[in-house]
Amino acid sequence: MVVGDVYKALADPTRRAILDELQDRSGQTLFELCVRLTDKGFTSTRQAISQHLAVLAEAGLVVLRRQGRYTFIDLDTSPLQQIYQRWRVGPCESDT
């Protein structure tokens, strides 16, 4: 994982909305994800969502898993955990 890829992926509001939807229900198909995003007011095409998913997958934030003729999209928060662990801040001296 390259930290810059994660930040780039998180910079776009549509990609953040995709992650929010996957947080609510991981393991969706592209069709299901597009329907849920449309219900939330996003007007992106399936092709645009696919391109966003490619960026998220490259950053390690989603995993695409093929099962039969369907591809399921799963959320993977481990890159976020790695960032958190890298810059985790303990209690400030003034807080103790």
Side-chain angles (χ1 to χ4, degrees):
M1 172 202 68
V2 177
V3 174
D5 290 343
V6 175
Y7 286 120
K8 175 185 168 192
L10 294 173
D12 185 273
T14 301
R15 290 193 284 268
R16 290 192 306 270
I18 290 169
L19 294 174
D20 289 342
E21 288 303 321
L22 292 172
Q23 175 68 34
D24 288 344
R25 198 176 115 229
S26 195
Q28 297 182 57
T29 64
L30 176 60
F31 176 78
E32 292 170 316
L33 187 58
C34 288
V35 168
R36 289 173 62 105
L37 289 170
T38 299
D39 289 346
K40 300 268 167 103
F42 287 86
T43 58
S44 299
T45 64
R46 283 177 64 135
Q47 182 179 4
I49 297 299
S50 290
Q51 291 171 346
H52 285 301
L53 286 170
V55 173
L56 291 168
E58 188 172 315
L61 293 166
V62 298
V63 175
L64 306 176
R65 121 183 100 80
R66 187 111 172 119
Q67 189 174 358
R69 25 180 283 192
Y70 297 100
T71 300
F72 295 92
I73 307 153
D74 295 303
L75 178 64
D76 183 354
T77 59
S78 59
L80 300 174
Q81 291 295 326
Q82 291 173 9
I83 290 171
Y84 172 76
Q85 291 297 321
R86 181 176 177 178
W87 286 299
R88 184 176 60 201
V89 177
C92 295
E93 289 182 20
S94 62
D95 291 343
T96 57

